[in-house]
Structures are given as C-alpha cells and as structure tokens.
Amino acid sequence: MGIISNGNTVIDNGDIEDNEVDTAQIAASAVETAKINNDAVTADKLANTAVTAGSYTTANITVDAQGRLTAAATGAGGDGAYVMHKSEIGPNSGNITANPAANNFYAYLSGAAGGAGGFSTQNPGRDGGAGGSGGLGFFSGPTSGGATIAYSLGAGGNKGSPSTGGSAGNAGGASTVGNFTANGGGGGIAGGPAFQPNRANQGAAGTAPGGILLPERTIFSGAAGLGPGVNFSGANNGGPTTTPSEQGGAGGIFYFDDGNS
C-alpha cells in the first residue's frame, strides 16, 4: 500500500505485484547507470554480436566503440626465427634432423659444376671451355619437429682429356634436399679443331626447378673446387689458362629451420 510523504508517493516493494511494471511504465533514459548494481547485468541480457562463439588462434578481431568484439577470425601465425643447422660442401649424402620445434625449413642448395673441356693437342694453346656452374636455388617447405630430411650433394664433373681435338668435360652431379633438386652444370666444350664453331665454349649453367634460381656467386664464394655456387671449372674461376682442364667443384647446402635452437 502506498503512502504520501512530503508530497511524493512512496511505493513499497511489497505493493508491486510481479510483472506489473513493464516498458510502457518506464520513461526512456529513466534507468541511470548509477541505479544499476555492479555485476547486475548478466551475459544473458547482452545483445548477441555477429561473432560466433568459439576459440580462435592468432585471431584477427574487430572491436567497436563500446569495446565489444564484432568480428573474429582465425589468423595465420608468423614464422619463428630460422636457425642454420647444416652447412656442407660435397660430395656426400645423409640425413638432416629437424629441430624438435620446427614446422618449416628452407635451404640454399647448389648442384655441382661441370668439368672443363680438354685442350687440343693438335692446336697448341687451344684450351677447352670452362665447366658450367651448378644451379644455385632457394627452396622452402614444411617439416615436422624431429623429422629427418634426406640430402645429397653432387660431385663435380670430371675434366676432359687432352687429345687431338680434346674431349668435353663431364656434367656435374645434381644435389637434393627432400624433394628438391639443384641440377649440376654442363661440361665444358673441348678445345677442338679450328672448324668446330662451338669449340671451347663454357658448359651450360645448372637449374633449380621448383625453387628460386639465384645468380651465380650470390652467396657462396671461392674458386673451383672450394665451394658451391661459383663452381666454375678450370684455373681462374673458369676458362682454362695455364691449367688446361679442371674438375668441377662439388655441390653444397645451407639448411635452416624455424626451431629456435
């Protein structure tokens, strides 16, 4: 029952029956923030947003001016720090064990160089051509922590023999890591007789199918036989001079994965 006090009508809680006060009896903006008890508004009283309930990994989110999430989607995590776990010059083969925390790897891989062409004894001073450099490629792919990745590093091509017309050098061997291949360079052309139009040409450079083919001498350094990538055969990085024929340099690898140790 209500009573009059100082001109105002006071209504006791016990005088209001259940469901008697509805929105029609409450003026707009009548409920002030100060009149709402802390934690009184539960999750059930909040309007749903467009976000689907669930867990999101490395999420991309949108937040409105009231701090509500209005959009969320699982994103892609960034790669961890890559650490080099293998560097080698062949010829050799074996297995690389990925770091236990690794998810991805990349490698710089070089095929072996071709051998230089043999000089012509019929035409003194007519040297053979340099062997082609091994293909130097950048490769990347997924791996699993602790997995083994097979690799092989090609041997350099044999040098051509001196003879009346000389003989061509042999091609360098291919190098592989996992399913990736860097092909060896071609053998240098023999010194040959005067009428041979391609005599003493350098062998063709190797390729890196499925990877990014890098220019010669991009990363590795050294003369023939000392490192991959610049495996030109013969003296002075290629064209035979005082040493008419040389074997090609072997293939090589730099291997990295995203395990941090």
Side-chain angles (χ1 to χ4, degrees):
M1 177 176 182
I3 61 173
I4 304 299
S5 175
N6 296 325
N8 296 318
T9 300
V10 178
I11 302 175
D12 295 330
N13 290 337
D15 295 326
I16 302 175
E17 296 183 7
D18 293 342
N19 302 321
E20 283 299 318
V21 178
D22 57 23
T23 54
Q25 277 74 48
I26 301 175
S29 304
V31 180
E32 300 174 356
T33 302
K35 303 300 183 182
I36 302 175
N37 286 337
N38 293 339
D39 303 321
V41 179
T42 64
D44 291 337
K45 305 303 181 182
L46 299 177
N48 291 335
T49 67
V51 177
T52 301
S55 298
Y56 296 86
T57 303
T58 57
N60 297 316
I61 62 173
T62 302
V63 181
D64 68 11
Q66 284 74 41
R68 298 181 304 169
L69 295 181
T70 58
T74 294
D79 279 345
Y82 280 80
V83 177
M84 185 173 70
H85 293 291
K86 184 73 174 180
S87 62
E88 184 178 348
I89 296 172
N92 194 20
S93 62
N95 292 299
I96 301 170
T97 301
N99 185 277
N103 294 299
N104 301 283
F105 81 93
Y106 68 75
Y108 294 94
L109 183 70
S110 174
F119 69 91
S120 171
T121 57
Q122 184 181 22
N123 299 282
R126 183 168 291 153
D127 299 326
S133 60
L136 173 60
F138 173 83
F139 302 91
S140 61
T143 188
S144 299
T148 56
I149 302 173
Y151 75 96
S152 65
L153 305 175
N158 292 328
K159 62 186 180 180
S161 300
S163 62
T164 300
S167 63
N170 295 115
S175 296
T176 63
V177 58
N179 296 322
F180 299 121
T181 301
N183 291 310
I189 308 303
F195 57 81
Q196 183 179 2
N198 296 323
R199 65 183 185 276
N201 281 0
Q202 182 177 350
T207 58
I212 300 174
L213 181 64
L214 304 177
E216 298 167 354
R217 310 188 189 194
T218 301
I219 297 174
F220 303 97
S221 61
L226 298 181
V230 290
N231 295 338
F232 296 101
S233 298
N236 299 325
N237 290 333
T241 54
T242 57
T243 305
S245 301
E246 291 292 341
Q247 181 174 348
I253 187 172
F254 285 163
Y255 166 89
F256 303 74
D257 63 37
D258 58 356
N260 292 324
S261 61

PDB file of all heavy atoms in Angstrom, residues 29 83 92 111 119 139 144 154 158 178 185 194 200:
ATOM      1  N   SER A  29      15.396   6.544 -20.964  1.00  0.00           N
ATOM      2  CA  SER A  29      16.538   7.073 -20.197  1.00  0.00           C
ATOM      3  C   SER A  29      16.241   7.197 -18.715  1.00  0.00           C
ATOM      4  O   SER A  29      16.935   7.928 -17.999  1.00  0.00           O
ATOM      5  CB  SER A  29      16.980   8.438 -20.750  1.00  0.00           C
ATOM      6  OG  SER A  29      17.285   8.333 -22.132  1.00  0.00           O
ATOM      7  N   VAL A  83      67.036 -20.829 -37.848  1.00  0.00           N
ATOM      8  CA  VAL A  83      68.404 -21.069 -37.390  1.00  0.00           C
ATOM      9  C   VAL A  83      69.056 -22.060 -38.349  1.00  0.00           C
ATOM     10  O   VAL A  83      68.432 -23.043 -38.762  1.00  0.00           O
ATOM     11  CB  VAL A  83      68.409 -21.638 -35.957  1.00  0.00           C
ATOM     12  CG1 VAL A  83      69.824 -21.961 -35.504  1.00  0.00           C
ATOM     13  CG2 VAL A  83      67.744 -20.662 -34.992  1.00  0.00           C
ATOM     14  N   ASN A  92      78.669 -35.749 -50.891  1.00  0.00           N
ATOM     15  CA  ASN A  92      78.287 -36.502 -49.701  1.00  0.00           C
ATOM     16  C   ASN A  92      76.773 -36.660 -49.710  1.00  0.00           C
ATOM     17  O   ASN A  92      76.066 -36.019 -50.488  1.00  0.00           O
ATOM     18  CB  ASN A  92      78.723 -35.771 -48.428  1.00  0.00           C
ATOM     19  CG  ASN A  92      78.663 -36.650 -47.200  1.00  0.00           C
ATOM     20  OD1 ASN A  92      78.661 -37.877 -47.307  1.00  0.00           O
ATOM     21  ND2 ASN A  92      78.594 -36.053 -46.028  1.00  0.00           N
ATOM     22  N   GLY A 111      73.905 -27.405 -57.105  1.00  0.00           N
ATOM     23  CA  GLY A 111      74.417 -28.549 -57.835  1.00  0.00           C
ATOM     24  C   GLY A 111      75.911 -28.385 -58.058  1.00  0.00           C
ATOM     25  O   GLY A 111      76.487 -27.317 -57.875  1.00  0.00           O
ATOM     26  N   PHE A 119      91.981 -29.672 -73.708  1.00  0.00           N
ATOM     27  CA  PHE A 119      92.562 -28.833 -74.751  1.00  0.00           C
ATOM     28  C   PHE A 119      92.982 -29.697 -75.936  1.00  0.00           C
ATOM     29  O   PHE A 119      93.115 -30.914 -75.849  1.00  0.00           O
ATOM     30  CB  PHE A 119      93.731 -28.022 -74.201  1.00  0.00           C
ATOM     31  CG  PHE A 119      94.945 -28.827 -73.857  1.00  0.00           C
ATOM     32  CD1 PHE A 119      95.948 -29.041 -74.806  1.00  0.00           C
ATOM     33  CD2 PHE A 119      95.106 -29.380 -72.589  1.00  0.00           C
ATOM     34  CE1 PHE A 119      97.069 -29.782 -74.486  1.00  0.00           C
ATOM     35  CE2 PHE A 119      96.231 -30.107 -72.266  1.00  0.00           C
ATOM     36  CZ  PHE A 119      97.210 -30.317 -73.209  1.00  0.00           C
ATOM     37  N   PHE A 139      65.100 -22.958 -51.690  1.00  0.00           N
ATOM     38  CA  PHE A 139      63.952 -23.841 -51.569  1.00  0.00           C
ATOM     39  C   PHE A 139      63.368 -23.729 -50.165  1.00  0.00           C
ATOM     40  O   PHE A 139      64.113 -23.522 -49.195  1.00  0.00           O
ATOM     41  CB  PHE A 139      64.348 -25.296 -51.825  1.00  0.00           C
ATOM     42  CG  PHE A 139      64.975 -25.542 -53.170  1.00  0.00           C
ATOM     43  CD1 PHE A 139      66.354 -25.466 -53.336  1.00  0.00           C
ATOM     44  CD2 PHE A 139      64.197 -25.847 -54.266  1.00  0.00           C
ATOM     45  CE1 PHE A 139      66.940 -25.696 -54.574  1.00  0.00           C
ATOM     46  CE2 PHE A 139      64.764 -26.080 -55.512  1.00  0.00           C
ATOM     47  CZ  PHE A 139      66.142 -26.005 -55.665  1.00  0.00           C
ATOM     48  N   SER A 144      58.372 -31.513 -39.949  1.00  0.00           N
ATOM     49  CA  SER A 144      57.845 -31.842 -38.626  1.00  0.00           C
ATOM     50  C   SER A 144      59.004 -31.906 -37.647  1.00  0.00           C
ATOM     51  O   SER A 144      60.117 -32.331 -38.003  1.00  0.00           O
ATOM     52  CB  SER A 144      57.115 -33.192 -38.652  1.00  0.00           C
ATOM     53  OG  SER A 144      56.017 -33.152 -39.537  1.00  0.00           O
ATOM     54  N   GLY A 154      76.068 -33.323 -55.022  1.00  0.00           N
ATOM     55  CA  GLY A 154      76.688 -33.906 -56.203  1.00  0.00           C
ATOM     56  C   GLY A 154      78.182 -33.686 -56.274  1.00  0.00           C
ATOM     57  O   GLY A 154      78.741 -32.733 -55.736  1.00  0.00           O
ATOM     58  N   ASN A 158      84.014 -34.571 -64.146  1.00  0.00           N
ATOM     59  CA  ASN A 158      85.418 -34.823 -64.480  1.00  0.00           C
ATOM     60  C   ASN A 158      85.862 -33.929 -65.632  1.00  0.00           C
ATOM     61  O   ASN A 158      85.073 -33.593 -66.519  1.00  0.00           O
ATOM     62  CB  ASN A 158      85.622 -36.287 -64.867  1.00  0.00           C
ATOM     63  CG  ASN A 158      85.438 -37.213 -63.677  1.00  0.00           C
ATOM     64  OD1 ASN A 158      85.739 -36.842 -62.546  1.00  0.00           O
ATOM     65  ND2 ASN A 158      84.928 -38.415 -63.927  1.00  0.00           N
ATOM     66  N   GLY A 178      65.356 -33.286 -49.475  1.00  0.00           N
ATOM     67  CA  GLY A 178      63.955 -33.661 -49.523  1.00  0.00           C
ATOM     68  C   GLY A 178      63.557 -33.949 -50.961  1.00  0.00           C
ATOM     69  O   GLY A 178      64.205 -34.736 -51.661  1.00  0.00           O
ATOM     70  N   GLY A 185      76.013 -28.289 -63.384  1.00  0.00           N
ATOM     71  CA  GLY A 185      76.356 -27.583 -64.608  1.00  0.00           C
ATOM     72  C   GLY A 185      76.869 -28.533 -65.673  1.00  0.00           C
ATOM     73  O   GLY A 185      77.350 -29.632 -65.378  1.00  0.00           O
ATOM     74  N   ALA A 194      89.885 -26.330 -85.498  1.00  0.00           N
ATOM     75  CA  ALA A 194      89.543 -24.952 -85.851  1.00  0.00           C
ATOM     76  C   ALA A 194      88.159 -24.829 -86.483  1.00  0.00           C
ATOM     77  O   ALA A 194      87.510 -23.796 -86.364  1.00  0.00           O
ATOM     78  CB  ALA A 194      90.594 -24.378 -86.790  1.00  0.00           C
ATOM     79  N   ALA A 200      85.532 -24.781 -77.236  1.00  0.00           N
ATOM     80  CA  ALA A 200      85.962 -24.057 -76.031  1.00  0.00           C
ATOM     81  C   ALA A 200      84.861 -23.234 -75.373  1.00  0.00           C
ATOM     82  O   ALA A 200      85.147 -22.379 -74.538  1.00  0.00           O
ATOM     83  CB  ALA A 200      87.174 -23.166 -76.330  1.00  0.00           C
TER      84      ALA A 200
END
